[in-house]
Amino acid sequence: MSDPKVTLVTSSDLPNLDPSEAGLPDALRERGLEPQIKIWNDPDADWSDAGVVVIRSVRDYGKDRKHFIEWAHSVPKVLNHPGVMEWNSDKHYLLDLEKRGLPTIPTTWLEAGEDLSKHQIHTRFPAHGDFVVKPAVSSGGRGTGRYTATDPMSRSQAILHAQHELDRGRTVMVQRYLEDIDRSGEISLVFLNGVASYLVEKAPMLHPRFRSGDDIHEEVVRSSNPREKEWRWGEEVRHALHDAIRTKIGRDHLLLFNRVDLVPAPNDPNGFFIMEISLIDGSLYLDQNPEFLDKFADAIMVRAKW
């Protein structure tokens, strides 16, 4: 009997996976699996005998979301479920979580169909402090910029940034930059097959001069086991997430991986805002701790041998 196949899916700019996941194929072989790597939009790829298909470094899906979602629905045994990825690929999903009582970063949504003028965009920006402009469909923080409301040049650049995205039919998100991030950084909780598995703490990514088009390099400060308050928040997010999944696609699904990004809530030492939930290609920081790689390989093995 042959070993169960696992196909790790990537993009053409990362044909051998993201460097942080370079050890994953060997870890899968050690577990009696037959791994292979394929590029999701390779016209010559045959998906009929791919085994369990695990989405990883598809960093370019935001450039052609429609094509990516159509492809995902056409592939058997893809994880995470294509309906889940379709929902998660547009950050309007944050509105679904907000309706379920979860604290998300307050956001002004600029819709492409509104045909907003420069002045109308200007009036939707905060009057003071720093703020962030980004598209609702993007991967790895691409298309994100941090601007200063009281700096005329910065504000003008933010307007051009928003117009650039809107002109291409993309929804734009405007969020006040939370200064607590500069002091406390971000927290990522990683769930594997529904189980809280590990936590990483990251330094801030958006320095004051960060502009759209810069490469994204997440710096992990350290890894640790989830503490009580993070565990509590993570469980609340997980329950609301699965409720949203049931509502959106008709039934619940066990997620192979789920990364929840949290940032401290201002003036609340025990509170957090949800920055993002990554169910498609978000980094799982497998190179930060050998246990992380082992845990993810174990999670894939369980699903491949079902």
Side-chain angles (χ1 to χ4, degrees), residues 34 61 104 115 119 147 238 245 288:
E34 183 186 336
Y61 81 81
T104 61
D115 194 25
H119 176 72
Y147 303 96
R238 190 175 67 85
I245 289 172
Q288 295 301 316

Side-chain angles (χ1 to χ4, degrees), residues 10 20 25 40 50-51 57 65 71 87-88 108 120 129 131 136 147 155 163 176 186 216 259 264 269 274:
T10 187
S20 69
W40 73 270
S57 37
R65 174 178 177 260
W71 165 82
W87 173 76
N88 187 237
T108 297
Q120 288 172 319
F131 62 98
Y147 303 96
R155 200 173 181 94
Q163 276 197 314
R176 186 179 299 281
E186 304 174 23
I216 304 296
R259 194 189 86 192
I274 298 170

Side-chain angles (χ1 to χ4, degrees), residues 169-235:
R170 302 167 185 158
T171 297
V172 171
M173 305 167 66
V174 180
Q175 298 175 327
R176 186 179 299 281
Y177 185 78
L178 302 179
E179 302 296 335
D180 286 41
I181 297 176
D182 289 336
R183 295 185 291 273
S184 304
E186 304 174 23
I187 295 169
S188 288
L189 288 169
V190 176
F191 294 79
L192 300 175
N193 284 334
V195 177
S197 298
Y198 54 88
L199 173 152
V200 297
E201 296 180 83
K202 302 177 292 186
M205 289 193 299
L206 301 184
H207 59 76
R209 293 177 301 282
F210 183 92
R211 292 294 178 265
S212 174
D214 286 357
D215 290 334
I216 304 296
H217 298 288
E218 293 183 308
E219 180 183 359
V220 177
V221 178
R222 66 186 181 92
S223 62
S224 65
N225 293 323
R227 297 174 292 272
E228 181 181 355
K229 64 179 181 179
E230 284 88 0
W231 174 273
R232 183 176 67 251
W233 276 100
E235 283 300 306

